[in-house]
Amino acid sequence: MFHEIVLAGETYAYETSTTKKQAEKIWLEAPRKTYVFEEDGKILGTYYLKTNQAGPGSHVCNCGYMVSSQARGKGLATSMCEHSQKMALELGYKAMQFNFVASSNEGAVRLWCKLGFETVGRLPNAFNHPIRGFVDALVMYKWLQT
Amino acid sequence: MFHEIVLAGETYAYETSTTKKQAEKIWLEAPRKTYVFEEDGKILGTYYLKTNQAGPGSHVCNCGYMVSSQARGKGLATSMCEHSQKMALELGYKAMQFNFVASSNEGAVRLWCKLGFETVGRLPNAFNHPIRGFVDALVMYKWLQT
């Protein structure tokens, strides 16, 4: 799943040449938590949760989500994002930030908005899309504590 | 210098408890380049330069600058920032991004603006300042290629 999504180069800021070992480090070892969503023993989706900035920024977490191409359109990203917000609060975070959302990834932007995230930043031409070329990247943010 | 600045907790998103070994990893090993500015064998300032996001984001770099308390007000931050922009272009980067500038760090914000950086994002209450409490953090950005 990681390989499929990263190879497309349209959504995640990882090298398309990322090896399995590097992917394990990025997705499983470096984050604070990683979850998978299974059905009949098959992994349909996964997300990680980690502290976004250390020290004075450590009350804000960051998540990344991946849905297998076979499992799209079933609301899995919504479920994972809602689950992650709940877990973030349980772990003591006050806010969640997505650092680098390709503005061309319109489905994701729409979904995060619907789930309460705001676009708080726009990085001009910061994402090099394989087809569209340089597009803006968005910073999205949600204060979780009420 | 690192210890002095990080211990204050007012500018950098590092733990105040960062050890010397961790600091070496953060400032000297992880970045692509690290420079020091010396006078009579004394280090007055230092900065690192690294790729901000991998893959589709790898044309944008990130820098962090530190000036020793004895060397403030001499234009060293300006010199380092100008040097870093030149080095960034030489290394093939097209833009430079500061991910997490405490909005309370007004001197830095003013200086980066003067040097051509724009505030492209504002993260509400993302920086926990030791005196002021939660303050906004800014994302600042400059396209370097002309």
Side-chain angles (χ1 to χ4, degrees):
Chain A
M1 197 194 308
F2 185 96
H3 188 65
E4 179 192 20
I5 288 170
V6 171
L7 209 62
E10 298 181 355
T11 53
Y12 272 90
Y14 303 133
E15 304 292 343
T16 52
S17 60
T18 305
T19 63
K20 194 173 177 192
K21 212 184 164 103
Q22 290 168 327
E24 281 173 3
K25 202 171 170 188
I26 290 170
W27 205 266
L28 302 175
E29 290 166 33
R32 183 157 171 196
K33 299 276 183 190
T34 304
Y35 297 90
V36 294
F37 289 73
E38 297 188 357
E39 199 175 64
D40 302 329
K42 251 194 148 173
I43 293 177
L44 302 184
T46 176
Y47 81 85
Y48 73 75
L49 190 158
K50 66 182 172 198
T51 303
N52 199 43
Q53 297 278 0
S58 63
H59 57 292
V60 182
C61 68
N62 164 250
C63 288
Y65 312 85
M66 288 187 172
V67 176
S68 125
S69 56
Q70 290 90 4
R72 302 262 161 89
K74 294 178 178 177
L76 194 52
T78 299
S79 299
M80 287 199 292
C81 185
E82 285 171 345
H83 186 267
S84 68
Q85 292 180 48
K86 207 179 122 213
M87 293 314 299
L89 280 169
E90 278 185 26
L91 290 163
Y93 295 104
K94 297 183 192 301
M96 189 180 286
Q97 181 174 331
F98 303 147
N99 299 306
F100 202 68
V101 182
S103 57
S104 49
N105 192 358
E106 287 149 18
V109 175
R110 208 179 309 121
L111 184 55
W112 307 146
C113 280
K114 201 175 136 194
L115 295 171
F117 287 79
E118 264 185 280
T119 298
V120 297
R122 176 175 282 265
L123 315 168
N125 293 319
F127 194 99
N128 193 3
H129 189 281
I131 299 156
R132 304 196 199 185
F134 293 118
V135 299
D136 294 350
L138 307 180
V139 183
M140 302 188 76
Y141 192 89
K142 182 178 181 178
W143 194 262
L144 301 173
Q145 274 208 330
T146 47
Chain B
M1 195 191 312
F2 184 96
H3 188 64
E4 180 191 21
I5 289 170
V6 170
L7 210 60
E10 298 181 354
T11 52
Y12 271 90
Y14 303 133
E15 304 292 344
T16 52
S17 61
T18 305
T19 63
K20 194 172 178 193
K21 212 184 162 106
Q22 289 168 327
E24 282 174 1
K25 203 172 170 187
I26 289 169
W27 204 266
L28 302 174
E29 290 166 33
R32 184 158 171 194
K33 299 276 181 190
T34 303
Y35 296 90
V36 295
F37 288 73
E38 298 188 358
E39 199 175 63
D40 301 328
K42 252 194 147 176
I43 293 177
L44 303 183
T46 176
Y47 79 86
Y48 73 75
L49 190 159
K50 67 182 173 198
T51 302
N52 199 43
Q53 298 277 1
S58 63
H59 58 291
V60 182
C61 68
N62 165 249
C63 289
Y65 312 85
M66 288 188 171
V67 176
S68 127
S69 56
Q70 291 91 2
R72 302 262 161 87
K74 294 180 179 176
L76 194 53
T78 300
S79 298
M80 288 199 291
C81 186
E82 285 171 345
H83 187 266
S84 69
Q85 292 181 48
K86 208 180 120 213
M87 293 315 299
L89 281 170
E90 277 184 26
L91 290 163
Y93 294 104
K94 297 182 193 301
M96 189 180 287
Q97 181 174 330
F98 303 147
N99 298 307
F100 202 66
V101 182
S103 57
S104 49
N105 192 359
E106 287 149 18
V109 175
R110 208 180 309 123
L111 184 57
W112 306 146
C113 280
K114 202 176 135 193
L115 295 171
F117 287 79
E118 264 185 282
T119 297
V120 297
R122 177 174 279 266
L123 314 169
N125 292 318
F127 193 98
N128 192 3
H129 188 281
I131 298 157
R132 305 195 197 186
F134 293 119
V135 298
D136 294 352
L138 307 180
V139 183
M140 303 188 74
Y141 192 90
K142 180 177 181 179
W143 194 261
L144 302 173
Q145 276 209 329
T146 46

